């Protein structure tokens, strides 16, 4: 009981647990509620799967292999998924794991017959495939949400820094809000970042339009999303400088007003491939498409 209290103190409360009757083996799902320092008003639920099955499956190596597959999937689900999808996946994994463990939990351990093991393997393969399919679909959706959150944070940070730079330059007399060049410069950055964010949102609406490795981790995915508005803004700024410098001629008959550069900046952020083609045509890159 003392060890159980220490285990709960470290990992949280037990949601589901199965303990073998005749051997020191078991499987459990825990849920620990924590508060992160950056989000004191929000509580995060950390669910984990714990399994110790090697002693009970010593006489059934094939059952042990099945259990290890479920344990591996449980680790992946705990690290990648959050919320309802994580709870559903772990419940399914727990049900399959406890059933296998209960099958070998006998007073006198003996190896199960070949026919029974084959039946278990067929059931195991079907269930593992179904749960893996659910995990992949839920993980892809989770990765998109995390990436989108990072993109919103990146856009907010970019807007704050650009706004602060504008106000500082205005206060010091370096920038004149009525100057068209100043307006074009900041509108270019804003429209480039907006185009990049809208491009991602448009592709997320499609079934296979946006893919990201969901097992790369939540923090890297959020960081990559935060970089997206900055990349769009930098592409837009590069095109703006190239057009004003006469290096690139885009619609030379059009009047270069604020709206003209706003549209070009939005297209540069929305379609990085289009902006890259224009930049490569100036740099003479071999990757530029030949006409």
């Amino acid at each position: 009981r003392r060890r159980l209290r220490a285990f709960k103190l470290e990992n949280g409360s037990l949601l589901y647990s199965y303990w073998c009757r005749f051997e020191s083996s078991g499987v459990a799902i825990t849920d620990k509620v924590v508060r992160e320092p950056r989000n004191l008003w929000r509580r995060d639920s950390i669910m984990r799967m714990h399994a110790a099955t090697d002693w009970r499956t010593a006489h059934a190596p094939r059952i042990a292999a099945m259990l290890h597959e479920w344990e591996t999937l449980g680790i992946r689900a705990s690290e990648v998924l959050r919320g309802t999808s994580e709870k559903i996946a772990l419940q399914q994994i727990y049900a399959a794991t406890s059933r296998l463990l209960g099958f070998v939990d006998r007073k006198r351990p003996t190896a199960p017959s070949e026919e029974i093991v084959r039946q278990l393997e067929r059931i195991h393969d079907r269930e593992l495939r179904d749960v893996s399919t659910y995990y992949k679909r839920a993980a892809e959706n989770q990765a998109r949400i995390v990436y989108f959150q990072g993109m919103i944070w990146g856009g907010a940070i970019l807007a704050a820094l650009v706004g602060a730079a504008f106000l500082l330059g205005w206060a010091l007399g370096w920038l004149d809000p009525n100057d068209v060049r100043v307006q074009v410069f900041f509108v270019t950055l804003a429209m480039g970042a907006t185009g990049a964010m809208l491009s991602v949102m448009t592709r997320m609406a499609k079934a296979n339009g946006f893919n990201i490795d969901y097992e790369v981790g939540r923090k890297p995915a959020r960081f990559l999303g935060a970089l997206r508005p900055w990349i769009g803004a930098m592409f837009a700024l590069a095109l703006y400088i190239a057009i004003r410098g006469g290096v690139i001629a885009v619609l030379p008959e059009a009047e270069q007003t604020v709206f003209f550069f706003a549209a070009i900046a939005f297209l540069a952020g929305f379609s990085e491939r289009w902006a890259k083609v224009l930049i490569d045509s100036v740099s003479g890159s071999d990757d530029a498409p030949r006409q």
Side-chain angles (χ1 to χ4, degrees):
R1 292 182 181 276
R2 288 194 300 268
R3 297 191 179 206
L4 182 59
R5 284 196 297 268
F7 177 82
K8 290 182 179 180
L9 183 63
E10 180 180 356
N11 299 284
S13 59
L14 285 170
L15 295 181
Y16 313 100
S17 61
Y18 176 85
W19 313 98
C20 291
R21 297 177 58 191
F22 306 107
E23 190 66 66
S24 299
S25 296
V27 59
I29 302 294
T30 60
D31 185 12
K32 185 175 184 179
V33 178
V34 297
R35 293 181 183 270
E36 295 186 1
R38 59 182 181 180
N39 293 322
L40 296 178
W41 61 88
R42 190 183 69 182
R43 298 184 300 176
D44 290 333
S45 178
I46 300 177
M47 298 184 65
R48 289 290 184 268
M49 176 180 175
H50 310 268
T53 60
D54 291 339
W55 297 289
R56 185 69 280 181
T57 57
H59 298 278
R62 293 165 67 177
I63 303 296
M66 299 181 201
L67 286 170
H68 289 162
E69 288 182 334
W70 285 115
E71 292 173 23
T72 301
L73 184 59
I75 294 173
R76 295 168 63 188
S78 298
E79 292 296 330
V80 176
L81 302 182
R82 291 293 185 274
T84 304
S85 58
E86 181 184 25
K87 181 175 291 187
I88 293 174
L90 288 180
Q91 283 179 341
Q92 293 175 325
I93 295 172
Y94 166 79
T97 304
S98 59
R99 184 170 59 250
L100 288 174
L101 195 59
F103 174 75
V104 296
D105 186 25
R106 303 174 183 177
K107 187 173 183 179
R108 295 182 179 180
T110 57
S113 64
E114 182 67 19
E115 181 180 358
I116 293 179
V117 172
R118 288 181 179 178
Q119 292 178 359
L120 285 175
E121 287 178 338
R122 286 194 295 267
I123 297 174
H124 162 78
D125 293 339
R126 184 177 65 252
E127 291 183 342
L128 184 64
R129 182 174 59 253
D130 293 341
V131 178
S132 297
T133 301
Y134 174 82
Y135 158 73
K136 292 177 181 179
R137 184 173 64 252
E140 289 176 355
N141 293 332
Q142 288 277 338
R144 292 185 179 190
I145 294 174
V146 172
Y147 188 93
F148 180 79
Q149 291 174 346
M151 190 172 60
I152 296 299
W153 278 106
I157 294 174
L158 177 62
L161 292 178
V162 172
F166 174 77
L167 294 176
L168 180 61
W170 186 14
L172 296 177
W174 296 345
L175 300 176
D176 183 8
N178 298 320
D179 190 349
V180 176
R181 293 175 300 177
V182 175
Q183 297 175 1
V184 169
F185 178 80
F186 286 100
V187 166
T188 297
L189 292 177
M191 294 303 294
T194 303
M197 297 173 66
L198 185 59
S199 174
V200 174
M201 295 170 63
T202 303
R203 284 187 288 147
M204 282 184 177
K206 301 179 181 179
N208 296 318
F210 181 84
N211 295 315
I212 185 173
D213 186 4
Y214 46 82
E215 291 189 345
V216 71
R218 300 177 70 87
K219 290 183 179 180
R222 188 178 292 110
F223 177 74
L224 292 174
L227 290 179
R228 189 72 182 193
W230 291 79
I231 294 174
M234 293 303 103
F235 266 114
L237 181 60
L239 278 182
Y240 166 71
I241 295 174
I243 294 173
R244 291 301 297 265
V247 180
I248 296 177
V250 179
L251 300 176
E253 67 279 2
E255 184 181 358
Q256 295 185 358
T257 61
V258 176
F259 300 100
F260 170 81
F261 285 107
I264 295 298
F266 179 83
L267 291 176
F270 188 84
S271 178
E272 297 177 3
R273 182 179 302 176
W274 175 77
K276 186 177 184 298
V277 168
L278 292 178
I279 295 174
D280 287 345
S281 65
V282 176
S283 61
S285 174
D286 294 336
D287 295 334
R290 298 180 181 180
Q291 302 294 336

